């Protein structure tokens, strides 16, 4: 467990540093246009979504540890290869390689985490992994801000190589992780069972859309709102993100207490969506307020938002672990992340249209969206529970 957590922390640190400077590296060092960057990243996102479930199956079939090590080494090489990119075609190709390798890493990491600990500890393990990821991303973001002050090509190249080095360091650590035995698909059944599991696909789509949207409330919705609708300083964006990161690091593991079984996870999902809907209403109430009042309300909304996020993310992991067969954790994790990928395509234009087009009414509409979406967790998870195979009877 300590090996997996430390590897996640190191890798997230590199990712956070690179994400802070990636656009400037690609535009100033690689010399790519914003349109080329957007096209390449979109192609990579599509490739990653399509590869999620099949690569999760591969991780189950050949062992998640082996596939995770392979994915991490490919990612180290692909990020290093960005140094040689100066045109659209190579960048698009590398974006697809990075996205597909990331898809394999996510599915394999989920299967490794699920198989390395007893079933009763999976949820807490997943929460600890997210805590380490958030902590690493936060520290990496701070480190990535240093090159922004220097604003030189050398500084951006150093951050890129640092990111590649963290993949290699995490790979070296993961060689010490416990191996999870390869899984065999039951005879007579489909190989990609997750893609035939209609209630799970419905859950993945619902949860992916809601999860991506709550992430974009602070990353996209709040900056647009402060720039166009609320009379409050722009530094509140950073304050809200700090509140979010601190809440995830300090409270994520604690939020797993009491989540045992599908009914408890369902209740957490509904609670989380209702609380996020309340945060949207608080954001809407800042319209026309004085800067001090608006700033106070935004801080309250950020705290409310992170509590809802923690409940909803905990519920999501619990539902995935409950619905996935023990021999198909990798492909179910991959299918779940594919739902997140589809949500990432829909959420940005949805949040932008609501905040810029409808202003305070748009925040209220987003709140309604979360409230209604939360109510759907009940019928979707009950449908999924009815379609699970009955447990084998105990033998004397």
């Amino acid at each position: 467990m300590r090996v997996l957590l430390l590897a996640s922390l190191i890798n997230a640190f590199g990712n956070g540093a690179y994400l802070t400077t990636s656009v400037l590296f690609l535009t100033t060092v690689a010399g790519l246009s914003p349109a080329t960057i957007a096209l390449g990243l979109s192609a990579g996102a599509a490739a990653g979504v399509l590869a999620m479930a099949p690569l999760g199956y591969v991780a189950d079939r050949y062992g998640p540890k082996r596939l995770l090590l392979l994915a991490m080494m490919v990612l180290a090489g692909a990020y290093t290869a960005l140094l040689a990119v100066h045109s659209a075609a190579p960048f698009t190709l590398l974006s697809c390689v990075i996205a597909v390798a990331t898809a394999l890493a996510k599915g394999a990491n989920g299967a490794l985490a699920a198989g390395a600990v007893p079933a009763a500890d999976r949820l807490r393990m997943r929460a600890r992994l997210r805590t380490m990821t958030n902590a690493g991303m936060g520290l990496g973001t701070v480190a990535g801000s240093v090159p922004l002050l220097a604003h030189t090509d050398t500084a951006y190249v150093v951050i890129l190589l640092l990111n590649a080095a963290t993949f290699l360091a995490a790979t070296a650590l993961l060689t010490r992780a416990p191996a999870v035995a390869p899984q065999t698909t039951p005879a007579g059944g489909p190989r990609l069972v997750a893609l035939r599991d209609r209630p799970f696909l419905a859950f993945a789509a619902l949860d992916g859309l809601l999860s991506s949207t709550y992430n974009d409330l602070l990353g996209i919705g709040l900056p647009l709102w402060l720039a166009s609708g609320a009379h409050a300083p722009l530094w509140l964006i950073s304050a809200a993100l700090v509140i979010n990161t601190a809440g995830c690091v300090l409270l994520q593991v604690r939020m797993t207490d009491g989540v045992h079984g599908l009914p408890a996870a369902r209740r957490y999902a509904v609670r989380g969506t209702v609380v996020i809907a309340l945060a949207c209403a608080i954001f809407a109430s800042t319209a026309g307020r004085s800067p001090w009042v608006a700033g106070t309300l935004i801080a309250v909304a950020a705290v409310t938002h992170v509590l809802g996020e923690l409940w909803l993310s905990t519920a999501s992991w619990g539902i995935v672990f409950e619905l996935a067969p023990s021999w198909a954790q990798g492909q179910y994790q991959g299918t779940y992340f594919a739902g997140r990928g589809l949500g990432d395509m829909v959420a940005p234009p949805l949040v932008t249209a609501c905040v810029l087009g409808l202003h305070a009414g748009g925040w209220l509409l987003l709140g309604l969206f979360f409230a209604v979406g939360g109510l759907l967790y009940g019928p979707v998870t009950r449908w999924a529970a009815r379609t699970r195979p009955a447990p084998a009877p105990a033998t004397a």
Side-chain angles (χ1 to χ4, degrees):
M1 186 179 294
R2 288 192 297 270
V3 169
L4 292 175
L5 294 174
L6 183 57
S8 296
L9 178 66
I10 292 173
N11 188 220
F13 174 81
N15 287 335
Y18 175 70
L19 287 175
T20 305
T21 61
S22 60
V23 173
L24 290 173
F25 168 82
L26 293 173
T27 54
T28 61
V29 179
L32 302 177
S33 67
T36 298
I37 296 172
L39 179 63
L41 293 178
S42 296
V49 168
L50 293 175
M52 285 284 187
L55 289 178
Y57 166 78
V58 173
D60 289 325
R61 181 67 179 81
Y62 295 99
K65 178 180 175 179
R66 183 186 308 174
L67 272 296
L68 180 57
L69 295 176
L70 174 62
M72 300 291 275
M73 289 187 289
V74 169
L75 286 167
Y79 276 107
T80 304
L82 284 174
L83 291 172
V85 166
H86 299 287
S87 59
F91 175 67
T92 302
L93 177 60
L94 274 178
S95 294
C96 292
V97 171
I98 290 173
V100 171
T102 301
L104 176 57
K106 286 182 176 180
N109 190 58
L112 183 62
V117 297
D121 297 332
R122 286 174 178 171
L123 194 57
R124 182 171 289 270
M125 177 63 180
R126 185 65 183 81
R128 288 177 176 173
L129 283 173
R130 188 175 191 238
T131 298
M132 289 295 104
T133 299
N134 278 286
M137 290 289 289
L139 294 173
T141 300
V142 173
S145 64
V146 176
L148 297 179
L149 300 176
H151 192 50
T152 62
D153 290 0
T154 301
Y156 297 138
V157 169
V158 167
I159 291 296
L160 175 68
L161 294 177
L162 172 65
N163 186 34
T166 60
F167 280 102
L168 295 177
T171 302
L173 276 173
L174 289 169
T175 58
R176 301 170 54 193
V180 175
Q183 303 295 315
T184 303
T185 304
R191 293 184 177 182
L192 291 177
V193 63
L195 296 182
R196 294 171 177 261
D197 191 339
R198 288 182 293 175
F200 185 81
L201 292 177
F203 158 74
L206 170 66
D207 189 81
L209 181 56
L210 291 174
S211 298
S212 297
T213 304
Y214 74 61
N215 283 330
D216 287 343
L217 292 181
L218 298 184
I220 296 177
L222 181 58
L224 293 175
W225 180 239
L226 291 178
S228 63
H231 301 290
L234 293 178
W235 58 261
L236 284 169
I237 301 170
S238 298
L241 293 175
V242 168
I243 291 172
N244 185 267
T245 301
C248 291
V249 171
L250 298 175
L251 300 176
Q252 185 69 77
V253 176
R254 186 183 299 273
M255 286 294 187
T256 63
D257 295 339
V259 184
H260 305 291
L262 200 56
R266 183 189 305 128
R267 290 194 299 271
Y268 265 52
V270 175
R271 183 187 305 173
T273 52
V274 170
V275 172
I276 295 174
L278 176 60
C280 291
I282 298 174
F283 280 126
S285 69
T286 61
R289 305 285 185 178
S290 67
W292 281 105
V293 174
T296 302
L297 289 173
I298 286 172
V300 173
V303 173
T304 306
H305 174 277
V306 73
L307 291 175
E309 175 183 341
L310 292 172
W311 274 314
L312 183 53
S313 59
T314 300
S316 301
W317 306 328
I319 292 171
V320 174
F321 287 137
E322 288 293 326
L323 297 183
S326 59
W327 48 267
Q329 286 289 338
Q331 62 172 292
Y332 270 77
Q333 293 281 345
T335 303
Y336 167 70
F337 283 116
R340 292 291 296 269
L342 293 174
D344 289 341
M345 298 178 188
V346 176
L350 172 64
V351 173
T352 300
C354 287
V355 173
L356 288 184
L358 300 174
H359 305 290
W363 283 109
L364 295 176
L365 184 61
L366 287 170
L368 179 63
F369 167 76
F370 278 102
V372 173
L375 295 177
L376 294 178
Y377 276 97
V380 168
T381 54
R382 290 187 184 95
W383 177 27
R386 290 195 301 268
T387 60
R388 300 304 98 178
T395 56

